[in-house]
């Protein structure tokens, strides 16, 4: 394991204010890395970034990433690209907007190379696979079903070739379900927490589908490990590597808030196209980097509930 | 077979001056269809389009396809989208240019819907599959290796969803090797003909790789048949459906020019990544439309040689 060892002293992150981005900023700072956090100009969430002398906020629109080399005053080692418009909702099928995301990814590669980065790490998605049952590997065929998944797939493929041309290592992840502080309010975990904290009974499916949930801080640790030891050109599905019935997660979540709260399990019927088992094959990730998920769901969910409590106060 | 029957009275073609586009214009006119041939403004090749009162040349840049509804004075039934920049050479990995091609495809869908088309037929490529050996089907996993193949794959996927949103049938083809009049000078067939006509001995591989060549007029007939009877949402690999050693094609081609001419078979070594067998599974195409390739290679190549002779005179 970990035959590659890149020294990461300075890193750039686009889209740093999402759940994984926030956790990655914290991880990088903890590892002694100087961080350039590229945020949308006027981002309200930028104020939530860790206050640290080694973290520099760089306001720059995704459409202007070509200008990054003028905005960042030093050479960097790793470039983490999380910025992506329209990750949820109907914008997932806004094709021109999704095509722009592909363009931004290529611009990010070029900026990374100009800034001297050794490695570009992209955040792909499970949506690249489309409707697949079972354990997802880098070799699992991709039949994406929405513009978001199609654009992520294309961005991952094109940025690989672009990085090869630029002489920079390329690593692409396909992220399954991640939860944690700074998660958007519309995700299953975050939405259910909000409902339970407000005394609402959440309407849910029976929850017997096997799901793979990864804590954001563990996902961030995987991203850092990939920057250090990930193999050039490789695609890594990113999840905990284990699946549990969705019901187990929901019950653990409810128990952490109040075991007496009622859950509406079974109130929502399964759709005809419901996927019943989804799990990341993390063997390549583990083999190449030594990474393992470190946070049991029961622990991660406590942190997440704590964060939602504070955020919604 | 052919349970769907769309009546095609008026059709629009972007990129009508390539080998398939030219043949499709002729086919449509022969079927009594009014044709709007959308050409690059200032295209020299536009003058080669059939001179026919029912064929209307519409100069319109690919970047301006959104304006098509203002340029075409009547409703249409089918939209054939062949326009694509950088199909050969290093531009295949010019990612921003390839991303533009995806955008043009979506703009083409929207223009088609505005113009009342029932069906959008896109020209994808074997390059979407990447390096695959054997018989290619719609289900064969795609691992494209260059920006061209990646963009074609993404354009095919996104335009499918876009057409669904627009309430228009969507048909995507993945074209293997097509030859015929109006072919570019750099293809294997066209290039070899030119060399032999000039008295040069072409340097070739041993030619034992099994290849699938389809005559442009047969490809055009398939496109027309798909507009009439192709199934919405389906991807059709497009080839003859049979494979022969490349050497057989080259020898037939040489024999049609002059059986005494020497061939440099075996003078070029195989690359380490040479694909040795490539063939389209045309069973879905045949089943849905009744189409069959009609032109034996020996006949198609005579027409092609005749055209190259005239063109290079």
């Amino acid at each position: 394991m970990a035959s590659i060892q890149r020294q990461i002293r300075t890193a750039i992150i686009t889209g740093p204010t999402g759940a994984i981005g926030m956790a990655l900023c914290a991880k990088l700072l903890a590892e002694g890395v100087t961080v350039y956090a590229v945020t949308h100009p006027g981002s309200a969430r930028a104020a939530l970034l860790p206050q640290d002398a080694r973290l520099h906020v760089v306001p720059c629109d995704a459409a202007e990433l070509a200008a990054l080399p003028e905005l960042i005053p030093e050479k960097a080692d790793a470039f983490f690209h999380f910025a992506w418009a329209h990750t949820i909702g109907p914008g997932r099928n806004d094709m021109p907007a999704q095509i722009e995301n592909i363009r931004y990814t290529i611009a990010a590669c070029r900026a990374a190379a100009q800034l001297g980065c050794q490695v570009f790490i992209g955040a792909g998605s499970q949506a690249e696979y489309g409707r697949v049952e079972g354990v997802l590997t880098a070799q699992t065929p991709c039949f994406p079903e929405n513009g978001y998944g199609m654009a992520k797939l294309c961005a991952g493929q094109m940025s690989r070739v672009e990085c090869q041309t630029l002489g920079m290592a390329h690593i692409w992840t396909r992220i399954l379900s991640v939860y944690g502080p700074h998660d958007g309010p519309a995700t299953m975990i975050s939405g259910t927490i909000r409902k339970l904290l407000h005394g609402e009974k959440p309407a849910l499916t029976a929850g017997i589908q096997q799901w793979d949930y990864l804590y954001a801080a563990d996902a961030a640790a995987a991203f850092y490990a990939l920057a250090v030891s990930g193999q050039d050109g490789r695609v890594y599905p990113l999840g905990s590597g284990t699946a549990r019935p969705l019901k187990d997660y929901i019950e653990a979540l409810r128990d952490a808030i109040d075991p007496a709260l009622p859950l509406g399990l079974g109130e929502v019927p399964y759709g005809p196209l419901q996927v019943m088992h989804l799990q990341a094959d993390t063997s390549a990730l583990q083999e190449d980097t030594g990474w393992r998920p470190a946070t049991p769901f029961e622990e991660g969910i406590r942190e997440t509930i704590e964060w939602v409590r504070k955020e919604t106060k």
Side-chain angles (χ1 to χ4, degrees), chain A residues 241-292:
Chain A
T242 54
R244 290 164 66 182
L246 186 61
K247 178 163 121 0
D248 284 15
Y249 295 110
I250 300 289
E251 287 171 352
L253 180 168
R254 184 264 321 268
D255 293 350
I257 295 175
D258 176 356
L261 291 172
L263 292 173
L265 287 165
E267 287 183 5
V268 175
Y270 284 116
L273 304 176
Q274 175 67 45
V275 170
M276 295 309 289
H277 180 198
L278 211 50
Q279 183 178 340
D281 177 349
T282 55
S283 55
L285 173 58
Q286 298 199 4
E287 210 170 293
D288 290 350
T289 69
W291 172 87
R292 297 282 185 289

Side-chain angles (χ1 to χ4, degrees), chain A residues 38-194:
Chain A
V38 181
T39 60
H40 196 275
S43 160
R45 294 168 64 84
L48 305 171
L49 284 162
Q51 303 296 312
D52 190 298
R54 277 172 301 113
L55 186 142
H56 309 280
V57 176
V58 183
C60 177
D61 193 87
E64 307 298 333
L65 290 178
L68 266 193
E70 293 147 41
L71 302 173
I72 293 176
E74 60 174 315
K75 292 289 174 192
D77 303 297
F79 195 109
F80 298 93
H81 183 55
F82 292 97
W84 197 274
H86 300 291
T87 56
I88 54 165
R92 283 191 166 215
N93 278 338
D94 178 340
M95 300 309 174
Q98 294 298 343
I99 294 167
E100 278 306 284
N101 282 319
I102 308 173
R103 180 190 309 287
Y104 301 161
T105 306
I106 299 302
C109 293
R110 293 180 177 186
Q114 268 189 273
L115 284 158
C117 291
Q118 309 162 55
V119 60
F120 178 90
I121 306 105
S125 166
Q126 156 201 318
E128 295 175 42
Y129 292 110
R131 205 164 55 242
V132 180
E133 291 270 347
V135 179
L136 303 173
T137 75
Q139 285 73 44
T140 305
C142 288
F143 293 97
E145 302 207 325
N146 58 46
Y148 168 72
M150 294 162 186
K152 283 278 188 187
L153 178 62
C154 186
Q157 294 172 338
M158 283 191 169
S159 59
R160 175 170 50 78
V161 174
E162 186 73 14
C163 286
Q164 201 171 15
T165 306
L166 294 165
M168 184 171 50
H170 177 270
I171 288 161
W172 193 256
T173 57
R174 292 200 182 123
I175 306 171
L176 278 74
S177 297
V178 166
Y179 73 98
H182 302 286
D183 205 357
T187 63
M188 226 283 303
I189 295 284
S190 181
T192 305
I193 292 174
R194 276 154 216 258

